[in-house]
Amino acid sequence: MAHAETRNEKLDLRLTPSAKRTLQIAALAAHRSVSEFVLESALARAEETLPDRQRFGLSAAQWEAFQAALSAPPPRPSRRLTKLLKEKSVFERGGVE
């Protein structure tokens, strides 16, 4: 939370004993109470989820620039990038060399 607010809302959850145990262990590892751990984790996930779903406004000039960027031809691929994408990844090679 960006600014100080009074915590006066409550959220009840039903969960399995193993899920509760996992949250308790994770909270202990993070040096947080279970409530703090769950709240912080849920808010972090919400912040990851929401940015592309929130409304934002552009001026007419910004909208035109955005449309121009979308309509522009893609850049030519660089030789180095093409080579890199053709190489097997460290996972495909079976480990770090």
Side-chain angles (χ1 to χ4, degrees):
M1 289 185 273
H3 61 289
E5 289 184 72
T6 303
R7 289 186 184 184
N8 58 3
E9 297 293 325
K10 187 171 180 163
L11 178 67
D12 294 316
L13 299 172
R14 297 236 181 255
L15 59 161
T16 64
S18 63
K20 184 175 181 180
R21 205 168 27 258
T22 299
L23 290 172
Q24 289 170 326
I25 293 167
L28 184 62
H31 306 289
R32 299 275 189 263
S33 70
V34 174
S35 293
E36 288 171 332
F37 181 82
V38 170
L39 178 59
E40 290 169 2
S41 300
L43 287 173
R45 183 71 172 120
E47 289 172 4
E48 291 172 5
T49 303
L50 291 176
D52 63 341
R53 291 174 172 80
Q54 293 180 341
R55 182 184 161 141
F56 60 95
L58 299 175
S59 68
Q62 291 170 323
W63 178 252
E64 291 298 323
F66 177 68
Q67 290 295 314
L70 290 177
S71 300
R76 289 187 356 199
S78 73
R79 286 181 294 165
R80 291 172 58 196
L81 181 58
T82 301
K83 180 183 174 198
L84 176 67
L85 293 175
K86 287 182 181 178
E87 291 179 4
K88 286 187 175 184
S89 76
V90 67
F91 301 108
E92 294 168 318
R93 290 191 305 257
V96 178
E97 295 177 351

